[in-house]
């Protein structure tokens, strides 16, 4: 049974590559690398900090196929893995979940802001993906296909984030950042940790000021470094319509950062270290349990300091909003998913 997105079954979508891209895909190795999805092999734009995070460090090399030049279809090992899972091999199902869980969690976190909400969304998306593995026809790599399921779920999520509920615009958010700025940097014993927490929480909140369609466009292209053709397929849009949506998002975020954020513009008023006291006062960050600065990361992935260092060398919108650690999906939630699948109560491959 194929999952339906915008009236079309996932098992039979159109080829994500426009005709022009199909003709030119093999002209140069550089062009091929630029069109590679972030989920496998080399990221499309290596300078974007979260391109590697979106890939999901575990399983990348196993499924990178140097013979598959277009970068859109699955590698042979991936096709074999899914075939084993569809045939009922529980070990293969577990490997599929392991391959998808961290990238899907990072996608959900960007869209719903809070880790607890991202955990719930990740569980639902993974169960949908595993439950419909039989409808995957290799039209795109498995992670790209799973992103498509995830995007459809996240765009239609009825629950709204706090920013969405209040309909906070970027202009209003900028005014809020100017309110209560301290004269000097926070100097408490946890100063560096809390400064990171403010930055990470702020960039999450900033994304919530975009409409969901603009937010997902910015995340897929400028943070996860997917090509516009592939991101258009994921969002079930034409490349032209997708690029227009992305351009709007980039312009809005870029203008906001230039006007408000000292990370992007040294002349802008806001400094993360001078927002700490106000954030603590408003209970926007918890010094005992930082939601983002102390979040577990994928084994071998970037921590907070490494992500911040990459951001400082680039200073553009994608770097600032993408400079999060390589967050790992919470293990307890993943164990719950595995237990549900193993219980036999879940219709594994309908």
């Amino acid at each position: 049974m194929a999952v339906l997105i915008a009236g079309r079954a996932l098992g039979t979508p159109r080829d994500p590559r426009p005709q022009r891209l199909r003709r030119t895909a093999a002209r140069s190795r550089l062009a091929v690398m630029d069109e590679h999805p972030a989920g496998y092999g080399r990221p499309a734009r290596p300078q974007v900090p979260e391109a590697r995070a979106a890939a999901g460090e575990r399983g990348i090399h196993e499924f990178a196929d140097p013979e598959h030049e277009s970068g859109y279809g699955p590698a042979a090992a991936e096709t074999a893995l899914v075939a084993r899972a569809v045939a009922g091999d529980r070990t293969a199902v577990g490997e599929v979940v392991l391959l998808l869980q961290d990238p899907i969690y990072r996608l959900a976190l960007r869209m719903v802001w809070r880790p607890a909400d991202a955990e719930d969304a990740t569980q639902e998306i993974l169960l949908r993906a595993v439950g419909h593995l039989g409808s995957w026809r290799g039209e795109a790599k498995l992670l790209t296909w799973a992103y498509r399921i995830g995007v459809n779920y996240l765009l239609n999520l009825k629950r709204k984030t706090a920013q969405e509920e209040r309909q906070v615009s970027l202009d209003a958010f900028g005014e809020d950042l100017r309110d209560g700025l301290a004269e000097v940097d926070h100097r408490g014993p946890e100063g560096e940790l809390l400064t990171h927490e403010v930055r990470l929480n702020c960039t999450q909140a900033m994304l919530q000021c975009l409409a969901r369609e603009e937010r997902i466009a910015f995340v897929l292209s400028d943070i996860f470094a997917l090509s516009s053709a592939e991101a258009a397929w994921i969002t079930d849009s034409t490349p032209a319509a997708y690029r227009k949506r992305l351009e709007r998002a980039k312009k809005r975020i870029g203008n906001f950062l230039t006007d408000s954020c000292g990370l992007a513009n040294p002349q802008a008023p806001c400094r993360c270290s001078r927002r700490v006291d106000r954030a603590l006062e408003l209970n926007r960050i918890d010094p005992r349990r930082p939601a983002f600065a102390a979040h577990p990361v994928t084994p071998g992935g970037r921590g907070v300091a490494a992500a911040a260092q990459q951001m400082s060398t680039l200073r553009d919108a994608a770097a600032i909003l993408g400079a999060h650690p390589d967050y790992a999906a919470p293990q307890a939630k993943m164990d719950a998913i595995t237990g549900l699948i193993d219980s036999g109560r879940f219709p594994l491959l309908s």
Side-chain angles (χ1 to χ4, degrees):
M1 179 176 66
V3 108
L4 291 177
I5 294 182
R8 188 168 68 248
L10 273 178
T12 56
R14 62 176 178 267
D15 188 326
R17 292 173 293 168
Q19 187 176 7
R20 177 180 57 81
L21 283 179
R22 292 198 297 270
R23 287 197 306 264
T24 60
R27 287 183 181 175
S28 71
R29 182 166 296 275
L30 180 61
V32 170
M33 287 164 51
D34 188 56
E35 292 304 321
H36 245 298
Y40 300 85
R42 199 169 299 181
R45 300 181 187 89
Q47 74 273 20
V48 178
E50 201 150 321
R52 183 163 57 89
E57 297 295 339
R58 287 171 285 182
I60 291 176
H61 301 296
E62 180 182 357
F63 295 107
D65 187 350
E67 298 302 319
H68 195 97
E69 290 194 338
S70 73
Y72 286 91
E78 184 173 81
T79 302
L81 173 65
V82 173
R84 285 167 48 212
V86 171
D89 184 333
R90 298 286 174 171
T91 300
V93 174
E95 290 178 19
V96 168
V97 171
L98 188 64
L99 178 68
L100 299 179
Q101 64 186 35
D102 287 0
I104 292 297
Y105 176 72
R106 287 190 280 260
L107 174 69
L109 192 60
R110 290 296 181 170
M111 292 299 291
V112 302
W113 188 4
R114 300 301 187 190
D117 294 333
E119 290 177 32
D120 292 341
T122 299
Q123 175 173 296
E124 182 62 30
I125 293 165
L126 287 176
L127 290 177
R128 290 185 181 199
V130 170
H132 291 86
L133 275 178
S135 71
W136 181 65
R137 299 289 181 266
E139 66 275 14
K141 290 186 175 177
L142 186 62
L143 178 58
T144 307
W145 177 79
Y147 276 152
R148 184 174 164 113
I149 295 174
V151 164
N152 181 63
Y153 176 80
L154 293 163
L155 287 177
N156 291 288
L157 197 62
K158 291 183 178 180
R159 184 174 181 176
K160 295 181 179 180
T161 67
Q163 299 286 77
E164 290 175 334
E165 286 281 4
R166 299 196 305 269
Q167 297 183 326
V168 178
S169 68
L170 282 168
D171 288 340
F173 186 53
E175 290 296 323
D176 180 75
L177 291 180
R178 291 174 177 85
D179 180 31
L181 276 177
E183 294 293 327
V184 296
D185 296 347
H186 181 79
R187 300 186 185 280
E190 302 280 328
E192 184 176 1
L193 177 69
L194 295 181
T195 296
H196 283 312
E197 181 70 5
V198 165
R199 173 180 64 80
L200 296 169
N201 191 61
C202 181
T203 52
Q204 285 287 88
M206 195 185 307
L207 277 173
Q208 309 309 307
C209 295
L210 296 174
R212 288 184 181 182
E213 291 79 6
E214 292 180 350
R215 193 185 319 158
I216 200 66
F218 189 89
V219 169
L220 290 177
S221 289
D222 275 43
I223 296 179
F224 284 10
L226 299 180
S227 70
S228 60
E230 191 172 22
W233 182 81
I234 290 170
T235 57
D236 196 36
S237 176
T238 66
Y242 178 83
R243 285 192 293 268
K244 186 176 293 185
R245 189 179 305 135
L246 173 62
E247 191 57 37
R248 286 198 304 268
K250 292 173 69 171
K251 183 176 181 180
R252 294 182 63 200
I253 287 290
N255 289 342
F256 172 82
L257 290 173
T258 299
D259 292 341
S260 302
C261 180
L263 294 171
N265 175 15
Q267 306 305 315
C270 191
R271 298 291 185 278
C272 300
S273 57
R274 299 185 182 185
R275 282 290 304 174
V276 172
D277 292 337
R278 182 62 169 164
L280 289 170
E281 178 186 338
L282 296 174
N283 294 316
R284 290 181 178 172
I285 60 174
D286 184 347
R288 296 165 301 177
R289 293 188 303 172
F292 298 106
H295 195 295
V297 300
T298 299
R302 296 174 306 166
V304 173
Q309 178 59 37
Q310 288 181 325
M311 173 194 64
S312 68
T313 63
L314 296 172
R315 290 185 177 274
D316 63 2
I320 290 169
L321 273 75
H324 280 240
D326 291 349
Y327 299 126
Q331 192 57 49
K333 182 68 72 172
M334 297 306 104
D335 290 343
I337 294 173
T338 302
L340 181 60
I341 293 172
D342 288 343
S343 70
R345 292 180 288 111
F346 177 65
L348 180 61
L349 298 167
S350 55

